[in-house]
Amino acid sequence: MTSPSHGTAFVIGGARSGKSTFAESLVTGSGLDRHYIATGRAWDAEMTDRIQKHRADRGEGWTTHEEPLDLVGTLEAVDAPGRAILVDCLTLWVTNLMMEERDMAAAFASLTQFLPSARARLVFVSNEVGLGIVPENRMARDFRDHAGRLHQMIAAAATDVYFVAAGLPLKMKG
């Protein structure tokens, strides 16, 4: 699958839906210099293993930037024509912001304000968290609400939006 040299794609789906693999396919073979911004933190051994597996599955040809909080600063530093920047994932970024008690509205606004000026091809990956039952505790409900608001903002700004389920992408926009 070929990808434009600029613009923003948003890939959303459930856990283990195939969204990261699909997102990578949007820029693999594009001829663009590929950069990967990982927002995950290794809080425990299981998450450390997941991060290592993701890196191995991605393979060679990616420059990885690990940034759990300052996503916009990292995007600004890496952004350049001829590049593709894949951010995986926004829901982990939301978790990190919540854990650090950051201003969610300001962080989300900063990200969406950056998008129109980006010179690189941007691809964002995130977990759809609003299709299940209402979470039982306030923090989980706040997380779902923050993620849902961010997803709407990114989808509105993106040129292309895909929903991935069972490894199958459904193009929703673009």
Side-chain angles (χ1 to χ4, degrees), residues 6-46:
H6 63 283
T8 300
F10 181 40
V11 179
I12 190 166
R16 300 293 162 258
S17 64
K19 62 191 173 297
S20 293
T21 300
F22 175 73
E24 291 166 15
S25 78
L26 291 175
V27 296
T28 300
S30 66
L32 299 172
D33 180 27
R34 296 178 293 161
H35 289 256
Y36 187 97
I37 300 176
T39 61
R41 286 179 162 169
W43 296 105
D44 56 28
E46 188 268 341

Side-chain angles (χ1 to χ4, degrees), residues 71-135:
L71 179 55
V72 175
T74 304
L75 283 166
E76 289 171 341
V78 176
D79 185 37
R83 287 189 173 165
I85 305 170
L86 192 156
V87 176
D88 199 350
C89 80
L90 291 177
T91 43
L92 289 174
W93 182 57
V94 168
T95 299
N96 296 334
L97 293 173
M98 287 180 70
M99 298 302 287
E100 298 288 332
E101 299 181 0
R102 299 289 176 97
D103 181 337
M104 305 301 278
F108 296 174
S110 179
L111 178 58
T112 55
Q113 289 167 6
F114 167 77
L115 298 181
S117 67
R119 297 167 295 158
R121 171 65 167 162
L122 302 177
V123 179
F124 291 95
V125 176
S126 202
N127 290 291
E128 174 52 61
V129 296
L131 295 176
I133 61 172
V134 175

Side-chain angles (χ1 to χ4, degrees), residues 38-86:
T39 61
R41 286 179 162 169
W43 296 105
D44 56 28
E46 188 268 341
M47 190 62 174
T48 299
D49 291 344
R50 282 180 182 261
I51 290 170
Q52 290 172 348
K53 182 175 181 342
H54 249 285
R55 188 174 289 139
D57 289 349
R58 199 165 46 249
E60 299 295 319
W62 292 88
T63 301
T64 300
H65 311 267
E66 295 183 0
E67 180 49 59
L69 295 167
D70 188 14
L71 179 55
V72 175
T74 304
L75 283 166
E76 289 171 341
V78 176
D79 185 37
R83 287 189 173 165
I85 305 170
L86 192 156

